[in-house]
Amino acid sequence: MTKIVKVKTGSPFEEKGSYSRIVKVDNWIYVSNTAGRNPETKQIPEDIIEQTLQVFANVENALKAVDSSLADAIFSRVYVQEPKDIEAVMGVVGQKFKGINPATTITCPPLGSTVYKVEIELTAFLGASTADVEELVVSV
């Protein structure tokens, strides 16, 4: 029988919007768009790199709740408020996903507030980190 686990982090936005930070369906893990608000201080770093690192910390913390980690990531969407910040954000993304190499989309839509400079949405598959992975290189 299919088991669904829904994880809340206590964010008031989750309650107001009636959503979960993570929904895990069997081995599939869907992580909602996550911002860089520190859950303890409720502050959002002004610096784009610090904010991106906080986004990843928030995502990683949520993944732990379902016995997963970034190593299980298979797809990410990275939302950057300002195109000028893409290079800095992708530097952090590249460090965090080094050796994992999920499919990734980066886009620059308006976010819910200008205080949010970056948000990340993620799809993971529990066990992807230990799966037999074949990497192919093709010319495009």
Side-chain angles (χ1 to χ4, degrees), residues 76-80 86 89-90 104-108:
S76 71
R77 281 188 185 90
V78 181
Y79 303 95
V80 179
I86 289 175
V89 169
M90 291 309 291
T104 296
T105 296
I106 184 164
T107 187
C108 296

Side-chain angles (χ1 to χ4, degrees), residues 15 31 42 58 67 74:
E15 290 310 310
V31 182
K42 308 298 184 217
N58 295 346
D67 297 322
I74 59 167

